[in-house]
Structures are given as C-alpha cells and as structure tokens.
Amino acid sequence: MKKIIVSILLIFFIVGCGLKQTIKDTAQDLTNNTVALIDDAIDEITHESESWQATLQELSDNLTDEAQSTIRNEVQNLATRTIAAAGSEIRCNVDFLGARVVQALQRIKAELLNKPIPQRNPAICQVIPTAIDMNLTPNRRNKVDISGYDFDNQPLKLYLITNDNQRTDVTHAINRLSHYHLVLNLGSNGVLLNETSSRLVLEYKDSQMSSIAITQPVTPDCKEEEISFSPDIITYMPTHTRGDRDYGGHGPAITARVNIYVDNNTIKAKIYMRARETKSDWSTADGSGVFTIYTAPSKRRILTIVSDKETSTNYIDSGHAEDFFEKGSGELVKRFAFVGDTDGDEAGTRTRVKVTFNRVVVKLKEIGNCKE
C-alpha cells in the first residue's frame, strides 16, 4: 500500500507541478545517485563519442527507482531523438552527436539540481544543396533541405540578401518537418529569387547559422566563328539602253563585275553587266541587279566577309554561242557564262550573264545571352 501511495504522489507531482517540483521533492540520496549516473554517462560519452547510444541505454537501465522514472523517460526520449537525427536524412558525424547528447544530459542534470538550465541552441549538420544554381530551371531549385538538431520551437529567421546587401525577411518560407529537418521553400509561394539575389541567411537570435550562396548565371563572352556557304547560281539580264536591239555581228564588247557586301545582317551580291555594239549605232544593254545570297542565322551577327569580295572580266563577243570564263578557286566568281550576240534581236531580251560562285567565307559573332 505504501508503494502505491508513493507512486500516486509521484504522478500527482509530475502532472500537477512538473518536472522541477518532482525533482525538488526527490530524496537527497536519490538525487545524488541520479546525478552520479548522469555524470558517469557524460564522462563516458565525452571520452568516447561513438558510444553515446549504448551509454544512454545503460543510463536508462540504471535508473530503476520509481522516483527516477521521469528522468528515465527523458533519457529514452533523448536517445530516440538523437537516433532520428542520425538517420539517413542527415549526416551528423559521431563527434557532433556525442556532443549534443552531453549537452542534453547536462540540461537534465541542471533540472535535477534545480540549477539554471543551459540554453538549447539549434545546430546544422548538412545543407542540400550547398548553393542555389540559378542556371537551373525553377522546378529544379525549388527547395533547400537543412538537417541538424533542435530546430523545434526555436526563433529561427531567414533573410534574402541582394547583390547590394538589401535584406528581406522571408522567414515564412521556413518549414519545420521535424526537430532535425527544415525545408526552405523556394517555390512560387516561398522565396522568390531573381537576378539580384545573392544569398540566403539563416539566423538564430541574430547570429548567422548558415549562408547559402545563390549563384547567378555567368554571362559568357560572345563567340566568333567562321562559316562558309555556296550561293545559288544567279542569272542577270541588263536592260536595253541604246540603239536598236540587234548587235548584228558587231561584238558586242562585254564588261561584267560582281561584288558582295554586308547589308543589315545579310550578304548581297551586286552584278553589273554592259554589252555594247562595237560600231554605230552602238546598241547597248547596261545595268546592275542586287541579290541577297546569305542571311545570318538567329542570334548571330555578320562581322565581315573573309573570302574574296569582287571579280570582274571583259571581252569582245565573236559569235552566237554562249561563252564561258573560268576564274578559279581564289576568286569570288568561279565561272561567268555570257550570252552576247545571237541570231536576231538580243539587247534587253537575250543578252545576259550567269554567275557561278565559289564558296563564300564569313565571320559571325554570337549575340544575345553573351558579353560583347
């Protein structure tokens, strides 16, 4: 009966007055014994941090008296809490866990002796990712996982820092999944990051716990490259400008010139031809035409034409057949093909030049998301 009454009184004190009142009313010899057991556990873990789990279990087993049941429950809760914190979600090392267990036992001891309880400060073991890469798409950088210890009921603050050191309180983005796991929400309803964002800072009582860098995309230098292309064959017919339309076997004297140039991110070819009769009435076809032979691709700008830019030729036609002039590989024009005199009228209707080009080489520069 006496044992039952003692148990009822202990329950009353635990529920009604709390742990401190229970400890205060515990017999002095029982207190001394409990403190000694805790001190032994602290000493063992301090010297062998990896033994914290076995030492806690041994301490719990040694707290056998009914009056020690509350302390035993705290020790068991401490073991459970620490095992959870050492799980696969985080990677706190053994020394760290041992130190945290010692601190927790010291708090239990302080309560037992009715002394000031050491402050329980949160600690960080791991941050994933260690930096926020703004090169990634938003759905691939929408959270930060922080693992550690004693995150529950702590006045944590989160700030977004800009490149010019402006601070914005974004504590609303902290989500506590457990006492050892925080998630920082970087989604549309969390911390909104932009090109001015520099870092996230997690603070506890105005002291920095962690600084997570926000890496902005590096603007690369605009690349330059040389490309070559083969323009299409172009046929040009000059207009009739003088005399009748029939050269009548008098030449004509033919002059032709082709040059290319850059115009508004395109390359254009200007083809000039004159075919003039060699005697009165000087029947003439004369003129020039401009043709687009290349347009730069998107996000590229034409810097210059690297290859040959002009080719010319002249001769006197002496028959009705088409005349060919090979200019070789080093020139702009590979081949001229002329029609001068024909059987009948031809100035403005048949007289023409057909131009076949060699490959044209141009230098391009990247534009857009790059540094000039």
Side-chain angles (χ1 to χ4, degrees):
M1 177 66 69
K2 185 175 180 180
K3 189 172 183 180
I4 295 173
I5 292 173
V6 170
S7 298
I8 293 172
L9 286 173
L10 282 171
I11 293 171
F12 171 78
F13 282 123
I14 291 170
V15 175
C17 301
L19 177 60
K20 291 184 178 180
Q21 187 63 45
T22 302
I23 295 173
K24 186 180 293 185
D25 294 340
T26 303
Q28 188 62 46
D29 57 341
L30 185 59
T31 298
N32 292 340
N33 180 55
T34 303
V35 168
L37 290 172
I38 293 174
D39 282 340
D40 288 343
I42 290 173
D43 184 64
E44 184 171 346
I45 296 172
T46 299
H47 288 88
E48 293 185 57
S49 58
E50 69 275 8
S51 69
W52 64 267
Q53 191 169 352
T55 302
L56 284 182
Q57 185 58 54
E58 183 180 354
L59 175 59
S60 176
D61 293 342
N62 289 334
L63 295 171
T64 57
D65 195 284
E66 288 185 46
Q68 297 171 312
S69 62
T70 301
I71 306 299
R72 183 167 59 251
N73 286 339
E74 285 206 34
V75 171
Q76 290 172 344
N77 288 340
L78 172 61
T80 301
R81 187 183 180 97
T82 308
I83 289 169
S88 61
E89 293 183 78
I90 66 171
R91 298 292 188 274
C92 286
N93 63 41
V94 172
D95 289 340
F96 173 85
L97 292 173
R100 301 301 291 178
V101 169
V102 167
Q103 292 174 21
L105 290 175
Q106 288 171 339
R107 288 196 296 272
I108 293 173
K109 176 182 172 181
E111 286 192 357
L112 181 62
L113 297 175
N114 199 26
K115 292 183 177 181
I117 299 174
Q119 193 173 44
R120 189 179 71 177
N121 296 325
I124 290 177
C125 298
Q126 190 174 43
V127 178
I128 301 175
T130 55
I132 301 162
D133 186 355
M134 293 294 283
N135 285 295
L136 300 176
T137 56
N139 65 310
R140 296 180 60 198
R141 51 171 172 82
N142 58 5
K143 68 171 183 172
V144 175
D145 287 284
I146 299 180
S147 54
Y149 211 92
D150 290 338
F151 291 147
D152 50 337
N153 302 318
Q154 301 289 10
L156 302 176
K157 302 286 286 185
L158 182 65
Y159 295 95
L160 174 63
I161 314 298
T162 62
N163 293 331
D164 56 358
N165 287 321
Q166 296 294 314
R167 288 163 58 96
T168 301
D169 189 332
V170 289
T171 304
H172 68 278
I174 298 177
N175 293 283
R176 291 177 171 87
L177 300 190
S178 67
H179 72 88
Y180 57 86
H181 190 179
L182 299 179
V183 173
L184 308 184
N185 179 7
L186 308 184
S188 59
N189 60 340
V191 183
L192 300 180
L193 304 179
N194 57 36
E195 65 277 1
T196 68
S197 302
S198 175
R199 64 189 186 279
L200 287 172
V201 173
L202 185 66
E203 292 186 356
Y204 171 67
K205 293 186 176 180
D206 298 324
S207 294
Q208 179 176 300
M209 293 181 66
S210 179
S211 178
I212 306 164
I214 301 169
T215 58
Q216 297 290 346
V218 176
T219 303
D221 292 334
C222 295
K223 297 178 181 178
E224 296 182 7
E225 61 178 338
E226 289 187 2
I227 65 99
S228 67
F229 64 95
S230 293
D232 293 335
I233 295 173
I234 299 174
T235 299
Y236 172 66
M237 180 181 294
T239 59
H240 173 236
T241 60
R242 183 177 178 179
D244 61 24
R245 295 178 179 272
D246 186 6
Y247 294 118
H250 306 133
I254 293 176
T255 297
R257 181 175 61 253
V258 180
N259 67 287
I260 59 174
Y261 57 94
V262 178
D263 179 40
N264 195 27
N265 223 29
T266 67
I267 295 180
K268 292 186 176 179
K270 182 177 181 180
I271 300 177
Y272 170 76
M273 178 181 175
R274 184 182 69 182
R276 184 184 184 190
E277 191 176 14
T278 57
K279 61 180 292 186
S280 181
D281 67 348
W282 313 107
S283 297
T284 303
D286 192 339
S288 62
V290 176
F291 306 85
T292 299
I293 62 172
Y294 178 78
T295 300
S298 174
K299 298 184 179 180
R300 296 291 187 274
R301 175 165 56 88
I302 301 173
L303 291 181
T304 187
I305 299 170
V306 178
S307 56
D308 189 54
K309 302 177 183 64
E310 182 174 315
T311 302
S312 61
T313 192
N314 58 83
Y315 79 105
I316 296 177
D317 188 14
S318 60
H320 292 169
E322 187 173 16
D323 300 311
F324 297 91
F325 295 88
E326 300 291 336
K327 306 301 289 186
S329 60
E331 303 245 9
L332 170 64
V333 175
K334 180 179 181 180
R335 180 186 301 111
F336 286 109
F338 293 101
V339 173
D341 194 13
T342 65
D343 182 15
D345 292 342
E346 58 275 314
T349 58
R350 298 180 183 176
T351 299
R352 67 182 185 272
V353 61
K354 182 164 66 175
V355 178
T356 302
F357 294 89
N358 283 304
R359 293 188 70 83
V360 176
V361 181
V362 297
K363 179 179 285 188
L364 304 178
K365 188 168 188 177
E366 184 181 11
I367 57 176
N369 299 324
C370 61
K371 183 170 59 180
E372 288 282 351

